[in-house]
């Protein structure tokens, strides 16, 4: 699995690729078996999660100390059982409404909240140009233009909301201040991506909520502002933290979820991986199962210059979850 030598040049140019033709097979338009490898059996009771689980991307050296809410096996099974239940619920609704089609292409409206301590760049006041470049990176990454599988998703910036509030700066994951910030600022329905930018606590690059059936005010993505294209976060400033966290928002797990055992990330075409990969360790292979570690996948922890792809299985999983949780 080779690296993409032209990736940095293409992203620096800031060219969006939303016009790329999207070719999805029948397997990638949201149709899944009645039960996944993780899911509860049909008819089995499913309990709504007590709270929204979050997942994060962490700088090299920070994983052991600052991993917020990494999913346990029990939490993963809970989420997968809920996904199966949500799919059955949606199927009954569509049957009752006489609808027979599922979304195959999706344009996601994006509202960006820039959280600032003051009006300086050091205080979080990044330029609009970095935000529009981030939207371009999302569109390139999710269209397959950087070399991975094409997904169903494109992104359209609706609004930039600038908020100066030292009480919310830096953004602290899991804090009452984070809850207050999101409860006050979040806009739109389940289909609207709310992105919160600012300085973050504990060496975190970002975190995100997974989708759930009942919309929570916490729903959204938090990203280190200087990880956007042109930012100052060395090795993490090409916009792939945003790509990674939106992947969680669309129901992807880390490629190293579950390590070498069990069902891993629930996607059959991402090879098993024992632990996060940092920097760009070409040829790394930490599990005996076939395939080298997916270090170029957006859902690992490698440098932005190393990651460039989603797989077809991840594209299918995201669209399945969209039709279960976020579709109108």
């Amino acid at each position: 699995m080779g690296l993409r030598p032209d990736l940095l040049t293409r992203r620096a140019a800031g060219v969006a690729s939303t016009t790329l033709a999207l070719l999805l097979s029948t397997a990638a338009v949201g149709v899944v078996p009645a039960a996944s490898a993780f899911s509860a059996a049909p008819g089995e009771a499913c309990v709504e999660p007590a709270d929204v689980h979050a997942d994060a991307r962490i700088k090299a050296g920070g994983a052991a100390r600052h991993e917020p809410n990494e999913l346990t096996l029990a939490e993963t099974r809970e989420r997968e059982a809920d996904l199966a239940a949500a799919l059955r619920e949606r199927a009954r609704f569509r049957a009752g409404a006489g609808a027979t089609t599922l979304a195959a292409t999706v344009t996601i409206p994006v509202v960006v909240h820039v959280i600032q301590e003051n009006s300086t760049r050091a205080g979080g006041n990044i330029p609009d140009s970095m935000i529009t470049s981030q939207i371009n990176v999302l569109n390139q990454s999710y269209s397959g233009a950087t070399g991975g599988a094409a997904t169903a998703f494109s992104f359209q910036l609706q609004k930039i909301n600038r908020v100066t509030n030292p009480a919310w700066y830096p953004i602290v994951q899991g804090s009452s201040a984070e809850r207050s910030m999101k409860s006050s600022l979040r806009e739109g329905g389940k289909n609207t991506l709310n992105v919160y930018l600012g300085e973050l606590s504990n060496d975190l690059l970002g975190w995100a909520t997974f989708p759930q059936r009942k919309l929570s005010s916490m729903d959204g993505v938090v990203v280190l502002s200087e990880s956007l294209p042109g930012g100052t976060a060395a090795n993490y400033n090409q916009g792939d933290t945003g790509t990674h966290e939106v992947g969680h928002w669309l129901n992807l797990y880390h490629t190293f979820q579950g390590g070498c055992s069990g069902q891993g990330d629930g996607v059959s075409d991402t090879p098993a991986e024992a632990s996060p990969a940092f920097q760009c360790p070409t040829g790394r292979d930490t599990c005996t199962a076939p395939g080298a570690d997916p270090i170029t996948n957006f859902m690992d922890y490698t440098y932005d210059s190393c990651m460039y792809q989603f797989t077809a299985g991840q594209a299918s999983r995201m669209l399945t979850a969209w039709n279960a949780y976020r579709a109108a």
Side-chain angles (χ1 to χ4, degrees):
M1 186 182 294
L3 302 184
R4 300 282 294 185
D6 61 333
L7 182 58
L8 180 58
T9 301
R10 293 174 71 172
R11 285 186 173 162
V15 178
S17 55
T18 55
T19 58
L20 183 71
L22 182 62
L23 301 177
L24 294 174
S25 69
T26 302
V29 294
V31 179
V32 297
S36 75
F38 290 119
S39 63
E44 184 176 335
C46 176
V47 179
E48 192 74 46
D51 198 358
V52 180
H53 297 303
D55 229 331
R57 189 180 182 208
I58 300 170
K59 297 177 185 177
R65 298 191 306 273
H66 305 299
E67 179 68 47
N69 300 321
E70 178 66 25
L71 294 184
T72 65
L73 178 59
E75 288 169 337
T76 304
R77 286 174 172 165
E78 178 185 80
R79 282 210 50 80
E80 296 301 309
D82 187 72
L83 174 59
L87 288 167
R88 292 193 296 270
E89 190 176 275
R90 282 299 183 110
R92 288 193 296 269
F93 172 79
R94 285 191 297 269
T100 58
T101 60
L102 299 172
T105 59
V106 179
T107 299
I108 299 176
V110 183
V111 176
V112 176
H113 308 279
V114 182
I115 309 303
Q116 304 171 183
E117 184 177 38
N118 54 51
S119 61
T120 68
R121 172 71 178 267
N125 186 20
I126 61 170
D128 287 0
S129 59
M130 290 176 64
I131 296 169
T132 55
S133 291
Q134 178 66 72
I135 299 299
N136 289 341
V137 166
L138 291 177
N139 279 314
Q140 290 176 22
S141 302
Y142 281 83
S143 70
T146 57
T151 80
F153 302 99
S154 63
F155 302 84
Q156 186 173 78
L157 181 62
Q158 299 290 308
K159 179 180 180 180
I160 299 175
N161 175 36
R162 293 182 178 273
V163 180
T164 301
N165 187 340
W168 294 344
Y169 195 93
I171 305 172
V172 179
Q173 196 274 336
S175 67
S176 59
E178 181 197 6
R179 184 169 294 276
S180 173
M181 175 190 73
K182 290 182 173 179
S183 297
S184 300
L185 301 180
R186 195 192 183 284
E187 298 184 18
K190 290 182 180 181
N191 68 323
T192 301
L193 172 61
N194 280 251
V195 179
Y196 303 87
L197 304 177
E199 180 67 22
L200 308 186
S201 64
N202 301 329
D203 288 332
L204 294 175
L205 292 163
W207 61 86
T209 56
F210 291 109
Q212 59 178 11
R213 281 181 278 176
K214 183 177 180 181
L215 179 63
S216 167
S217 62
M218 296 295 285
D219 182 77
V221 165
V222 179
V223 174
L224 177 69
S225 56
E226 293 295 346
S227 75
L228 271 61
T232 60
N235 299 311
Y236 302 102
N237 58 358
Q238 295 180 35
D240 284 331
T241 292
T243 302
H244 176 104
E245 299 307 338
V246 171
H248 287 314
W249 188 78
L250 291 170
N251 209 41
L252 292 184
Y253 301 136
H254 291 133
T255 52
F256 49 86
Q257 174 68 40
C260 297
S261 61
Q263 300 301 323
D265 64 351
V267 179
S268 62
D269 59 1
T270 56
E273 184 177 26
S275 59
F278 293 99
Q279 300 179 4
C280 194
T282 303
R284 182 179 190 254
D285 191 359
T286 56
C287 295
T288 58
D293 292 356
I295 66 166
T296 59
N297 195 282
F298 288 122
M299 301 312 294
D300 209 332
Y301 274 178
T302 50
Y303 287 161
D304 283 15
S305 58
C306 189
M307 54 174 58
Y308 66 84
Q309 67 174 330
F310 291 113
T311 67
Q314 287 174 316
S316 178
R317 178 177 171 84
M318 286 187 281
L319 187 54
T320 295
W322 180 271
N323 283 313
Y325 290 115
R326 298 196 183 277

